[in-house]
Amino acid sequence: ITAHKLTALANLVLLNRAVYQKNRKSSLDKTDKLAFIGMNLCFAATIASGSLMTLEKPMPSMVKTAHKITPWLSVFSSGILLYVLNR
């Protein structure tokens, strides 16, 4: 496993932990939940496209393009989640 995969997984765990901690203190509102779901979907798409890229079979260009875009979506959705949690 390469460093960028472990870093992404660590970020996903830490962000989910932050949401869990906030939910323990006070209930999440709809915006928090929407940002949380969106962030997890972006990370899932990044992990899925990365997994497809590691297969021995040649992948369609759509998978390569998705794997170039989804990490940026993960970064932006993480920033949005942190903003929403700390407002």
Side-chain angles (χ1 to χ4, degrees):
I1 296 179
T2 57
H4 77 281
K5 293 177 186 174
L6 291 174
T7 303
L9 181 61
N11 288 333
L12 182 61
V13 169
L14 289 174
L15 289 167
N16 279 299
R17 186 173 184 269
V19 171
Y20 174 75
Q21 292 295 330
K22 181 175 182 193
N23 192 38
R24 285 182 61 198
K25 290 180 183 177
S26 63
S27 182
L28 298 175
D29 62 10
K30 288 182 182 182
T31 308
D32 295 339
K33 290 177 185 177
L34 184 62
F36 173 70
I37 291 168
M39 186 267 312
N40 277 293
L41 288 175
C42 289
F43 268 96
T46 301
I47 291 167
S49 64
S51 298
L52 290 173
M53 293 291 292
T54 61
L55 296 176
E56 296 294 322
K57 299 180 199 175
M59 286 294 127
S61 62
M62 185 180 81
V63 174
K64 293 177 184 178
T65 303
H67 195 59
K68 290 179 183 177
I69 296 170
T70 55
W72 290 105
L73 293 175
S74 296
V75 169
F76 291 133
S77 64
S78 298
I80 291 169
L81 176 68
L82 291 173
Y83 174 77
V84 167
L85 289 178
N86 292 308
R87 62 184 156 89

